[in-house]
Amino acid sequence: MEIIVNPYKDSGRGVDWDEQTPKIISEMNLYFSQNKETLNFSLLETDHGTSADWPTITITIGGGIGALFIIPEAHKRIRESFEEWKRIGNEITSLITWIASKYPVVAYPKELLFFDLLEWFETELGIDVNELEFISVDDEFPIPDKRYGMSIDKAYLFTLKNKKVVYQIAIQNDREIIWKHSYEI
């Protein structure tokens, strides 16, 4: 699971961004090492600028929360493990909420987007997610307008179905639904 944050202060006001990195990484390391769950994580300074620097930190989480690829296997009904997914989704949301309270998140992980999608089905469409069956997720859905014109933007196409309808929903990694389609079967 990858979360990309932009924790840097404007270097025009003092400290350059590359000098800010050790403090930011130290603070993140402290939080993750104190987390009650065992998390395997890595923090990497990344730069998504095209002609000028746009520094970010990519947080990669595996083990504990992230070890479990929580999007269901193909053709698995959501209700079979929905309560467990909700628990894991709450843990992911809690972690991301902490991160977002400290640093602006510029790219959310697809695992969180899956939970956003389930909530959208319930609130916007009034569909009982327990009746849905997960079919697939495509990591390469095209994005017509990138927020920053850079490769940091990504969209995921989720395909789910119930007994009557197949749903395809694309969510960009900034949590915006950018495309939706459904058809009866």
Side-chain angles (χ1 to χ4, degrees):
M1 175 170 66
E2 285 190 354
I3 306 161
I4 301 174
V5 296
N6 182 6
Y8 296 94
K9 307 282 187 247
D10 182 5
S11 61
R13 296 186 168 170
V15 182
D16 282 338
W17 65 268
D18 57 336
E19 296 172 310
Q20 297 174 45
T21 301
K23 181 179 184 239
I24 293 164
I25 287 182
S26 176
E27 185 176 285
M28 287 183 176
N29 273 320
L30 180 63
Y31 171 77
F32 287 124
S33 64
Q34 291 177 345
N35 191 313
K36 62 183 174 268
E37 300 243 2
T38 302
L39 294 175
N40 295 324
F41 67 94
S42 66
L43 305 170
L44 178 64
E45 179 183 321
T46 48
D47 185 356
H48 295 282
T50 51
S51 60
D53 290 330
W54 186 43
T56 60
I57 292 194
T58 299
I59 306 165
T60 304
I61 299 174
I65 298 171
L68 198 46
F69 187 70
I70 57 178
I71 297 173
E73 296 174 14
H75 307 296
K76 186 170 186 177
R77 292 201 183 280
I78 291 174
R79 72 170 171 250
E80 291 175 15
S81 56
F82 186 64
E83 289 307 314
E84 181 65 13
W85 292 351
K86 273 187 150 177
R87 183 189 66 75
I88 294 167
N90 288 337
E91 290 177 14
I92 291 171
T93 301
S94 173
L95 174 66
I96 292 172
T97 298
W98 176 84
I99 292 169
S101 74
K102 297 278 192 187
Y103 313 109
V105 176
V106 294
Y108 291 91
K110 72 178 165 186
E111 292 85 354
L112 180 67
L113 301 178
F114 178 72
F115 287 104
D116 287 352
L117 176 67
L118 294 180
E119 184 177 320
W120 181 80
F121 269 103
E122 288 181 327
T123 59
E124 297 296 318
L125 299 181
I127 293 174
D128 181 2
V129 295
N130 291 307
E131 299 302 316
L132 291 172
E133 187 176 314
F134 175 81
I135 303 300
S136 66
V137 60
D138 179 358
D139 294 357
E140 299 299 325
F141 192 81
I143 301 173
D145 295 314
K146 295 192 175 224
R147 289 174 289 169
Y148 306 106
M150 297 174 237
S151 63
I152 192 170
D153 285 329
K154 220 176 161 174
Y156 302 93
L157 177 65
F158 292 92
T159 304
L160 297 98
K161 72 173 189 160
N162 61 19
K163 291 180 181 177
K164 298 178 183 178
V165 180
V166 172
Y167 300 93
Q168 293 184 302
I169 314 296
I171 304 177
Q172 192 164 312
N173 63 358
D174 66 353
R175 299 179 88 176
E176 179 184 352
I177 292 177
I178 58 171
W179 186 84
K180 53 191 172 233
H181 179 71
S182 64
Y183 56 92
E184 291 187 27
I185 50 176

